[in-house]
Amino acid sequence: MQAKAKIQVKTNQVSKDRINPYIFGHFVEDIRDHMDAMLAYPLSDMDFESMDVTYRGLSGRWRPYTNGKSTIYDLEPAAAHHSGHSQRVRIYSDDEAYAGMSQVIAVKQDPDGYYLALYARASVEIQFVAAEIVDRKSGEVLGSTRIDLVSHNWKHYESRLTVSRSCEHAEFRIYVPSEHERWLDHVSTGMLWFDHISLLPSDSVGHVRKEVLDMTKDLNAGMMRLAGNYISAYHWRQAIGPVYERPSVINEAWGGWTNKYFGTDEFIGFCRELNVEPLICVNDGSGTPEEAAEWVEYCNGDVDTPMGKLRAANGHAEPYGVKYWEIGNEVWGAWQVGHCSAEQFAERYMQFAQSMKAVDPGIKLLACGDDKMDWNKTLLERAAEHIDYLTLHLYHGTNRFGMNNRTPKEERYKAMLSYPEWTRETVRQVREMVGSSSRYAHLKLAITEYNTMYYPNTIRKGLPNEHTLEAAAANAANLNEFIRNSDLIEIGSFSDLVNGWLGGCIRVGDFYADQFRGKSSGRSENSLSVYGTPTYYVMKMYANRDLGYVVETRTDCGSFKVSSPVSAPQLDDLPNLDVVACTNVRGDKVTIFIVNRSLEDTITEVQLEGFTESGTAQLLELAADDYECINSAQNPDAVVCEAHELSVMKSQVTCQLRASSVYVLEITRE
């Protein structure tokens, strides 16, 4: 038999606080393969920075492309004002060979041509190089171009490489062809240097993959955060200005190289394309208040200010007007650059806040909080007048229950679906603290990172649990708790947007970067595939609704219990249905978010007290046959949102809710 439930929506009992669309925000971080996946560049080691995986004197993933027995490759100092290295290729005329470099890539069809950029020089007898993209399996040339080298000095060159069809197993080659006129073989001939080589498809926008941009637009994020562990050792001036001249810098948080192709200007451009509000977290770990203040001035200052003038010189005369700034990312954590005590952070925070607000008094400041209230108590006691938002990071996993892979999967499922109860208890404690003093009355909450986090998920064995329907249902229930507390919670940032540590809701390719071991040398078979996880569809379902205010609901349904040997919120009698209802500002639409947390299908009667007698309701459904279902590059649409129409009769809608599923029910009054 199916379970039965009833939801009463009391549309005449409306909260007074408007729901902020920023609670459906997202988050970008230079972590693992996040930037590599988000950006449109198919080539790696574009500035020849890597020395740790050299092959015959070649940087990173570059490989020899030559049939000459004497061709030599060496890394040399970079060109003036550039970073990384330059790559030298020495070609001996007596070989009468072709000689250059290659790299394995994947490309998509591009009749308008990939944009090819080089920074190169050559000994005077080398007049040109050929560049081509070929199918590695068949040898078919998919696109080619010739670049004439006109100077012995370093010079920028550019061209277009049309690509006739998509190819997962392609190779980019740049070389001096064997038909090039030969030269006398002596000490000063046959030398070719590259300081930069990059490719960008013609449809990329601000260096970002079009597919990623389009999918992110559909998320209607409201706010996009630039932050994460790496930001505590990030110096913003290293990633502005001409990309050639930006230094190559080690990512101190996550290993590998920071991506210098997505700095402040690119981030703001990304936000503008998405029509979302930017949120920037400043470096309070290895940075200074003066550096943070200059960052504010770079973004918001007029052109007659020193940093505003610099921004204009970089091609952006109009101020960006970045309103929201975060100080401190997980400073309470021993892994964080700049880790300190709450007392030390409070003093540091005030120095940053005062310096930043001296530049722009209109900005809103977010202070790093913790789910441990002792930290927050100290911070607020010392710095409350300088804080607009207290931040929390709320990750939820079975590790907090003392569970592991030997725990029965249904018990683990119940634990994961208790996510909102944990959030509720943390928010209750913050609410109690904020209410304890009139000094704190102005404060709001920003949940600047949240997601499910499964253990172990370090060394990849199959697909990660973060991307299952179970994870999506847990995240949806957690969003319901955000909405219920929308008088206090105004900002949310889902962690992460693309690939990254594991939780990215947009996936590029079928390779999963290891959580702790850094970037891998490449993806496998489906690197061109861009798709959404089940949680992507949750975020899209929630953020694209016409929401104004929370309305009262009452739910009668079955319940479940979570067994936990560790201290936890009250988990003995949890409702199978997690429900929150909202009305729009005009009051003519009701939206009801329902997460069926049980493992049973449930027939649910939704009663609309005093709203409408009859009409048509739209039901959005995210469901599958099993809560461990997952989208993948091979099967990207296994779990997607489907829409249904239901009838409203006698102020009631009857919904068939599948087990472990997420629903959005919308009713508009005619």
Side-chain angles (χ1 to χ4, degrees), residues 105-114 131-145 160-173 528:
I105 60 173
V107 291
K108 60 184 182 181
Q109 184 179 20
D110 194 341
D112 294 326
Y114 274 68
E132 62 188 26
I133 296 173
V134 301
D135 184 324
R136 294 172 62 217
K137 291 186 174 181
S138 69
E140 176 190 355
V141 177
L142 306 176
S144 63
T145 187
R160 287 279 176 183
L161 264 169
T162 59
V163 178
S164 58
R165 61 174 174 83
S166 297
C167 182
E168 282 281 355
H169 301 278
E171 184 174 85
F172 170 77
R173 300 168 178 169
L528 296 176

Side-chain angles (χ1 to χ4, degrees), residues 458-532:
T458 53
I459 301 172
R460 294 275 44 81
K461 293 180 180 178
L463 296 170
N465 293 331
E466 275 85 1
H467 301 165
T468 60
L469 176 61
E470 171 188 294
N475 279 312
N478 183 60
L479 277 174
N480 286 355
E481 193 63 27
F482 286 8
I483 295 170
R484 282 189 284 266
N485 288 278
S486 55
D487 63 318
L488 184 61
I489 301 174
E490 291 192 347
I491 292 172
S493 300
F494 178 79
S495 171
D496 284 341
L497 181 65
V498 187
N499 285 28
W501 60 273
L502 287 180
C505 68
I506 297 174
R507 294 296 313 173
V508 176
D510 62 353
F511 179 81
Y512 292 89
D514 185 279
Q515 185 170 347
F516 295 115
R517 299 191 179 186
K519 299 175 182 178
S520 174
S521 59
R523 299 185 182 87
S524 50
E525 293 293 323
N526 294 278
S527 61
L528 296 176
S529 178
V530 183
Y531 60 95

Side-chain angles (χ1 to χ4, degrees), residues 418-563:
S418 72
Y419 196 172
E421 278 72 27
W422 291 81
T423 297
R424 182 177 308 133
E425 174 58 20
T426 301
V427 174
R428 183 197 65 77
Q429 293 177 34
V430 173
R431 190 183 292 278
E432 184 177 277
M433 185 177 298
V434 169
S436 67
S437 171
S438 59
R439 291 179 57 220
Y440 309 155
H442 65 287
L443 291 172
K444 298 294 183 181
L445 260 182
I447 315 298
T448 52
E449 292 184 30
Y450 69 93
N451 200 346
T452 53
M453 182 175 278
Y454 291 78
Y455 291 90
N457 249 351
T458 53
I459 301 172
R460 294 275 44 81
K461 293 180 180 178
L463 296 170
N465 293 331
E466 275 85 1
H467 301 165
T468 60
L469 176 61
E470 171 188 294
N475 279 312
N478 183 60
L479 277 174
N480 286 355
E481 193 63 27
F482 286 8
I483 295 170
R484 282 189 284 266
N485 288 278
S486 55
D487 63 318
L488 184 61
I489 301 174
E490 291 192 347
I491 292 172
S493 300
F494 178 79
S495 171
D496 284 341
L497 181 65
V498 187
N499 285 28
W501 60 273
L502 287 180
C505 68
I506 297 174
R507 294 296 313 173
V508 176
D510 62 353
F511 179 81
Y512 292 89
D514 185 279
Q515 185 170 347
F516 295 115
R517 299 191 179 186
K519 299 175 182 178
S520 174
S521 59
R523 299 185 182 87
S524 50
E525 293 293 323
N526 294 278
S527 61
L528 296 176
S529 178
V530 183
Y531 60 95
T533 68
T535 297
Y536 170 86
Y537 291 100
V538 164
M539 300 300 296
K540 183 178 174 182
M541 288 163 67
Y542 274 61
N544 284 285
R545 309 276 68 82
D546 182 11
L547 305 182
Y549 306 94
V550 175
V551 299
E552 192 71 27
T553 59
R554 177 180 173 181
T555 303
D556 295 316
C557 62
S559 63
F560 66 99
K561 175 183 178 180
V562 178
S563 301

Side-chain angles (χ1 to χ4, degrees), residues 25 33 67 88 102 143 204 237 254 330 352 384 391 419 421 426 484 486 521 548 639 666:
D33 63 341
N67 64 344
R88 179 165 65 94
S102 67
S204 64
R237 293 190 71 163
W254 300 112
E330 298 182 1
F352 273 75
T391 72
Y419 196 172
E421 278 72 27
T426 301
R484 282 189 284 266
S486 55
S521 59
V639 185
E666 287 187 324

